[in-house]
Amino acid sequence: MKDRLKRIWDWKPGMGVVAAAAVCLLLLLLVPLLRLALYAVPWYDDYNYGQFVKNFVDMERSIGSAVSGAVYCMKTQWYAWQGTFSSVFLCP
């Protein structure tokens, strides 16, 4: 019995076995992501969010201007109140 446990404990898989297991695990983990990807389709109003950020970044190329564009878009959506003012940061 001890001999068997020692053999199991000392077993080390080869590189091919580890690689095959990693690929199988990756494919298994990608299944839910691919199923959710069916619902991740951009709609016409999603492009408006990115347009503000693009215009601000075109004027001054910096992270701060991109954040300013997103904040400006958020304020615009707040005043128009479509219920999407908080999701502006998630779409661009």
Side-chain angles (χ1 to χ4, degrees), residues 25-41:
L25 183 64
L26 175 68
L27 292 176
L28 186 66
L29 290 174
L30 283 177
V31 168
L33 182 67
L34 292 175
R35 294 215 34 190
L36 286 174
L38 297 173
Y39 302 104
V41 178

Side-chain angles (χ1 to χ4, degrees), residues 22-68:
V23 169
C24 289
L25 183 64
L26 175 68
L27 292 176
L28 186 66
L29 290 174
L30 283 177
V31 168
L33 182 67
L34 292 175
R35 294 215 34 190
L36 286 174
L38 297 173
Y39 302 104
V41 178
W43 201 244
Y44 67 92
D45 63 343
D46 294 335
Y47 296 104
N48 292 335
Y49 304 144
Q51 187 63 40
F52 284 110
V53 175
K54 181 184 180 304
N55 290 341
F56 274 69
V57 169
D58 283 343
M59 287 190 289
E60 177 188 337
R61 298 208 177 266
S62 69
I63 299 292
S65 65
V67 171
S68 296

